[in-house]
Amino acid sequence: MKRFAAAMALLLAACSGGEEPAADNGQNMLPPLDLESAALARGMIRDPQNTEIAGLYARDTDRLCIVRDGVGYKVGAFVDYGDGITCSGSGTVSRVGEVMHLELGGKGDCGFDAQYDGERIRFPGQVPEGCEALCSGRASFAGFEPSLLSESEVEAASVRDPKGRLLCATSD
């Protein structure tokens, strides 16, 4: 996000007409906006505070699905390193602002917070030991960073892990 902000600052600076600003007489002056606020206002980037989280996220062949389930959300995730070295789990997800709390596996042993920026979900670099039960070999959910692929809940609900299990099947 910092690189994007720096690039936008250079782009906006290049677009200025070089004219002197009008004298501030205290009338019709808007407060200055920071670069990210300006980009949000113009629709150049998604606002993570007001973005629906349901959809299909991916990184290479790895997937994460989120679908509405009653008043909450169901989540499913799998990472596949090949040769049977995988992690796969389903559970629930809740969100407050840019922080998503995931509970995978249903036993409460694999709960952690991830960051959400409106386009990408960033799992932490370390996940609880309880997440190991959802993985084989040396696989881990740590550092998983899928990007939004589709906002379609139908697509998200059809995600299967390498063993063919539906990860975001809802109780509906």
Side-chain angles (χ1 to χ4, degrees):
M1 186 58 89
K2 289 182 181 182
R3 284 190 215 154
F4 177 76
M8 290 302 300
L10 290 173
L11 181 63
L12 291 174
C15 293
S16 75
E19 300 171 4
E20 291 294 319
D24 181 8
N25 60 9
Q27 297 177 355
N28 300 324
M29 295 298 293
L30 297 174
L33 294 175
D34 62 79
L35 189 57
E36 185 171 2
S37 296
L40 285 169
R42 288 175 178 78
M44 297 172 75
I45 60 174
R46 293 168 63 110
D47 183 357
Q49 301 291 334
N50 298 318
T51 303
E52 173 60 50
I53 62 172
L56 174 60
Y57 298 78
R59 180 186 70 185
D60 297 323
T61 59
D62 305 331
R63 298 286 184 264
L64 182 135
C65 55
I66 300 175
V67 296
R68 287 184 200 99
D69 188 24
V71 295
Y73 290 91
K74 173 111 183 194
V75 64
F78 77 84
V79 294
D80 187 354
Y81 295 94
D83 295 328
I85 302 170
T86 65
C87 291
S88 178
S90 295
T92 60
V93 62
S94 59
R95 174 179 141 202
V96 176
E98 296 181 26
V99 177
M100 300 174 90
H101 183 76
L102 289 89
E103 289 285 342
L104 297 173
K107 296 180 183 175
D109 296 336
C110 185
F112 55 89
D113 290 340
Q115 295 298 310
Y116 175 67
D117 69 7
E119 291 287 333
R120 191 174 17 258
I121 300 170
R122 291 181 183 91
F123 282 25
Q126 289 186 324
V127 294
E129 286 183 27
C131 295
E132 291 176 15
L134 303 173
C135 300
S136 64
R138 295 176 48 194
S140 174
F141 281 122
F144 183 38
E145 191 174 314
S147 297
L148 182 64
L149 184 63
S150 170
E151 293 177 330
S152 168
E153 285 191 61
V154 172
E155 269 187 280
S158 68
V159 169
R160 295 179 184 269
D161 70 6
K163 293 182 179 179
R165 296 176 293 210
L166 284 170
L167 294 176
C168 281
T170 61
S171 57
D172 293 343

